[in-house]
Amino acid sequence: MNIEIIKAEHLTKYYGDFLAVNDISFSVHKGEIFGFLGPNGAGKTTTIRMLTGILNPNSGRIEVFGMDMKKHKIEIRERTGIVPEMANPYIDLSAMRNLRLMGRLYGMKGREIEERSVELLKLFNLYEKKDTKVRGFSKGMKQRLSLAMAMLPDPELLFLDEPTSGLDVMSARLIKKIIREEQKKGKTIFMNTHNMQDANELCNRVAIINHGKLIAIDTPEKIKEIGAKSNVIEFSLSPFKFKEGIVDGRVEILGDKVKVYTAKVDETIKKIVNYAERENLKIVSLNVEKPSLEDVFMALVGEKNE
Amino acid sequence: MSKLSQFSRSLAIVKKDMLIFYLKGPVVIMGLLFPFFLFGAFLIGRDLSHAYLFVALIAMTAFFTSTAVGPTIIPWEARSKTFERLISSPISITTVLFGDMQASFYFGLIITSFISLTAIFLGIALNLLIFIPVVILALLTFSAMTILMSSYPPTDVPADVMMLSSLVKFTLLFISGIFVPLEKLPWYARAVSAISPLTYMVDALRYSVSMHGYFPLWLDLIAMLLFSLIFFFFGVVIHKRVLEKRFT
Ligand SMILES: Nc1ncnc2c1ncn2[C@@H]1O[C@H](COP(=O)(O)OP(=O)(O)OP(=O)(O)O)[C@@H](O)[C@H]1O
Ligand SMILES: [Mg+2]
């Protein structure tokens, strides 16, 4: 089953003269968690705002549920739940009133709103706070309420702009668990993130965007394979002393650890050992690993940055 | 999407506005306290007929109450980061603005109705058949004006809009024939008065207390109707146009 829920064709967006999103095309299939991955300022939020009809692209076309965004914005949104980046619930209203407002805006009936709200408040561990004004909520509580508000009308499609950013482990875990459960119910989820671990754990497919350009789009495993010909050799020396140029490949020095990205494992390790012997250094640790999603991401994004 | 369901969704916006904005400090000060102090100052040391005073009181009340809530709603929403979610729900911008306009209208309606009871104490023979439609039409006009006021500049600082809208409001107050009747103004001042929607309310209210107006009553009503349509229409157009600037 490969029903296309979102289809974006040649989306381009300028802010004045600044090109924020540069001719990107992709589609998202029914039932998948699609991760949109990129560093700060890459154009993730701009893209999500176009996909939800808040911003109009300068050129390109968006179809959601097979309907053209330009012509059917309201119909599309009826079936979509959205958690914008940094969007707050109304702080002068209680959690319950925020949910009721959302329900009304989605045209839900009173009874339905009450029942679903209670269900969601319980799911998000907010039930005790249902009549408390949101003003006093912590960041994590606000974010959980935000997600509850988006899920209230039980939408087929969820857009989440960095749903776990800045949250503690507990809130982040709860949110990730709920996202997975939504997927099991057949929902489609589009999420922006710059958290590699989230992307790796949650997403069926990820797209990597940098400077408004799509640079890769595939499953996390496949994307890792892009970097699979290279390995990551991580080691530490004591006393610490190391310079680039001692080994071939891309070198990253992180505190007292060195990461070398290279295809030539044997040659590189021999060079490191030789160097340590020559300089009379102790090798504290040495690991060879397949690159993580983050490593590949860094390699892809880093390349394009220069 | 049917017009009816968009209308019922606009009522959700009204309710939200009532819960959040009716009791905000600046609204209470600008909308409730201020007109009464102003009216008091206007009253002191003058010997004016009850009917004349009543017209001034109602005009000021309607004008200040119905313009107290509206101008700051959108900037406030942008500032507190609630605006994006609101406009990403299945409603059009027009529906959002129509809801905000109604919130201004009901605020004005409640307070003005209450203040209208002073007619009893002042012993005024009020022609309700004129009075009620005039007040409603005027409240609609002023509420629509707040939509235009909040549209530009697309700021997220409520105080900025507050200042600009106060400036406009006071200018209108002084050129609208409340303090000096139109017929006593020189011709150029009368020409200026004609651009203020408040002028037509004041003029029409005079008919309801069996005084003479300057313009024919039908002209007052049509002028207010046109003003309200123009205000709302251009308010919506400008809001749509500057929408992108509200996300930074
Ligand atoms: N309203 C705006 N006006 C002008 N430039 C903007 C506007 N919004 C975003 N930009 C610019 O467009 C680029 C993309 O921004 P966007 O918010 O889409 O990035 P992002 O990938 O979501 O970043 P982050 O991870 O920080 O949320 C950035 O360089 C940003 O400065
Ligand atoms: Mg962003």
Side-chain angles (χ1 to χ4, degrees):
Chain A
M1 274 226 307
N2 257 2
I3 303 170
E4 278 182 339
I5 296 285
I6 302 172
K7 194 164 151 195
E9 287 173 342
H10 304 293
L11 292 186
T12 299
K13 179 72 190 175
Y14 285 91
Y15 292 112
D17 293 334
F18 179 75
L19 180 54
V21 171
N22 183 0
D23 190 23
I24 64 174
S25 302
F26 58 88
S27 47
V28 177
H29 304 134
K30 186 171 166 55
E32 80 179 339
I33 301 181
F34 188 88
F36 214 59
L37 210 61
N40 290 128
K44 302 182 296 293
T45 298
T46 305
T47 304
I48 229 174
R49 280 175 175 160
M50 290 192 282
L51 296 177
T52 53
I54 290 171
L55 292 181
N56 291 319
N58 291 93
S59 61
R61 209 175 112 74
I62 297 165
E63 252 182 37
V64 181
F65 305 123
M67 291 183 277
D68 189 308
M69 177 57 76
K70 271 211 183 98
K71 292 187 203 117
H72 301 277
K73 195 183 283 185
I74 305 283
E75 285 96 322
I76 291 171
R77 286 186 185 166
E78 300 250 312
R79 300 161 62 184
T80 307
I82 302 170
V83 179
E85 186 180 28
M86 300 191 311
N88 289 323
Y90 289 92
I91 54 171
D92 293 313
L93 302 182
S94 67
M96 196 64 198
R97 282 213 189 273
N98 269 291
L99 287 163
R100 272 190 208 128
L101 169 65
M102 272 336 261
R104 292 283 177 208
L105 293 177
Y106 276 83
M108 293 166 71
K109 301 265 176 305
R111 266 268 311 269
E112 200 186 347
I113 295 176
E114 299 302 308
E115 287 171 6
R116 178 81 175 141
S117 297
V118 169
E119 182 190 328
L120 286 170
L121 286 167
K122 286 183 176 156
L123 182 65
F124 283 98
N125 277 333
L126 290 169
Y127 188 70
E128 283 76 48
K129 300 273 183 183
K130 71 180 167 51
D131 297 317
T132 311
K133 283 195 176 167
V134 171
R135 186 179 292 282
F137 278 25
S138 71
K139 186 172 178 174
M141 289 159 75
K142 280 186 194 152
Q143 187 68 5
R144 278 181 272 150
L145 178 59
S146 265
L147 192 52
M149 286 163 77
M151 284 167 56
L152 188 77
D154 202 16
E156 295 159 58
L157 172 62
L158 279 168
F159 284 101
L160 313 174
D161 199 343
E162 298 188 17
T164 59
S165 111
L167 302 188
D168 66 20
V169 187
M170 297 277 276
S171 288
R173 269 206 188 173
L174 178 64
I175 287 179
K176 281 189 270 184
K177 188 180 122 212
I178 291 169
I179 292 174
R180 265 188 221 106
E181 277 163 12
E182 284 299 291
Q183 181 188 31
K184 275 188 206 130
K185 290 182 203 152
K187 308 295 163 74
T188 308
I189 291 125
F190 181 102
M191 62 182 261
N192 279 352
T193 180
H194 38 213
N195 185 324
M196 297 305 136
Q197 188 144 9
D198 285 5
N200 195 26
E201 284 173 20
L202 277 175
C203 299
N204 303 100
R205 283 196 308 145
V206 295
I208 296 179
I209 182 174
N210 193 29
H211 295 303
K213 269 254 167 228
L214 266 192
I215 52 182
I217 175 166
D218 220 318
T219 62
E221 293 311 311
K222 285 264 171 57
I223 287 194
K224 283 185 231 165
E225 274 173 28
I226 299 176
K229 39 185 188 316
S230 74
N231 290 278
V232 187
I233 301 170
E234 191 184 297
F235 63 94
S236 181
L237 301 170
S238 170
F240 186 75
K241 193 168 130 205
F242 195 79
K243 286 195 299 291
E244 279 185 54
I246 293 166
V247 294
D248 299 330
R250 198 162 66 83
V251 174
E252 250 177 61
I253 301 178
L254 312 155
D256 65 346
K257 280 202 178 60
V258 182
K259 274 185 164 189
V260 183
Y261 299 83
T262 179
K264 301 172 226 162
V265 177
D266 173 67
E267 187 187 316
T268 307
I269 292 178
K270 280 177 184 155
K271 278 188 182 164
I272 293 166
V273 174
N274 276 338
Y275 169 76
E277 236 160 351
R278 217 167 46 234
E279 302 283 326
N280 214 359
L281 306 172
K282 188 176 158 211
I283 297 178
V284 182
S285 65
L286 193 149
N287 294 305
V288 182
E289 277 163 19
K290 288 282 159 206
S292 65
L293 189 57
E294 180 168 340
D295 294 327
V296 179
F297 177 81
M298 281 312 296
L300 288 171
V301 169
E303 250 167 49
K304 305 265 167 161
N305 258 337
E306 280 340 298
Chain B
M1 178 53 26
S2 76
K3 291 276 178 292
L4 187 68
S5 84
Q6 285 287 307
F7 178 74
S8 85
R9 287 172 203 193
S10 81
L11 296 180
I13 309 256
V14 177
K15 185 160 182 200
K16 177 255 310 171
D17 290 345
M18 287 179 165
L19 289 168
I20 295 174
F21 294 100
Y22 277 19
L23 291 175
K24 282 231 183 282
V27 171
V28 173
I29 290 168
M30 281 304 292
L32 295 179
L33 302 180
F34 197 78
F36 297 110
F37 284 126
L38 200 68
F39 181 71
F42 166 62
L43 202 66
I44 290 168
R46 266 183 242 226
D47 189 18
L48 299 163
S49 79
H50 282 180
Y52 190 88
L53 283 180
F54 180 74
V55 167
L57 178 63
I58 295 302
M60 280 193 219
T61 306
F63 187 57
F64 278 99
T65 51
S66 61
T67 54
V69 188
T72 52
I73 296 181
I74 301 280
W76 187 91
E77 296 237 21
R79 156 60 52 99
S80 44
K81 309 270 184 238
T82 54
F83 189 57
E84 187 170 350
R85 187 202 312 275
L86 191 63
I87 63 161
S88 49
S89 57
I91 47 174
S92 63
I93 304 289
T94 314
T95 304
V96 174
L97 295 172
F98 184 59
D100 291 344
M101 181 179 127
Q102 289 176 75
S104 292
F105 175 80
Y106 297 132
F107 189 70
L109 188 65
I110 295 164
I111 312 288
T112 310
S113 304
F114 192 65
I115 299 300
S116 301
L117 297 177
T118 52
I120 301 167
F121 304 109
L122 292 171
I124 289 165
L126 194 58
N127 183 344
L128 289 178
L129 283 180
I130 300 177
F131 183 78
I132 293 172
V134 166
V135 168
I136 288 180
L137 196 53
L139 289 171
L140 273 179
T141 310
F142 305 146
S143 313
M145 189 170 76
T146 67
I147 299 301
L148 188 60
M149 282 171 165
S150 67
S151 68
Y152 202 87
T155 171
D156 63 353
V157 184
D160 287 357
V161 184
M162 203 84 161
M163 217 166 62
L164 274 172
S165 68
S166 299
L167 203 69
V168 173
K169 281 192 255 179
F170 282 108
T171 312
L172 294 182
L173 184 70
F174 287 108
I175 62 168
S176 297
I178 294 184
F179 303 117
V180 184
L182 285 187
E183 55 270 19
K184 293 196 182 143
L185 290 174
W187 67 270
Y188 54 86
R190 248 175 286 161
V192 175
S193 299
I195 59 163
S196 164
L198 184 55
T199 301
Y200 301 96
M201 180 196 195
V202 173
D203 199 54
L205 280 176
R206 298 226 156 113
Y207 287 100
S208 73
V209 293
S210 31
M211 288 166 68
H212 285 293
Y214 180 78
F215 300 115
L217 182 57
W218 62 265
L219 184 77
D220 291 330
L221 297 177
I222 288 190
M224 284 193 275
L225 189 66
L226 282 180
F227 268 114
S228 59
L229 293 175
I230 290 170
F231 286 151
F232 190 70
F233 177 78
F234 282 102
V236 171
V237 168
I238 297 173
H239 269 292
K240 282 187 179 164
R241 199 149 287 169
V242 299
L243 192 65
E244 295 199 356
K245 301 225 164 59
R246 295 198 189 267
F247 309 114
T248 34

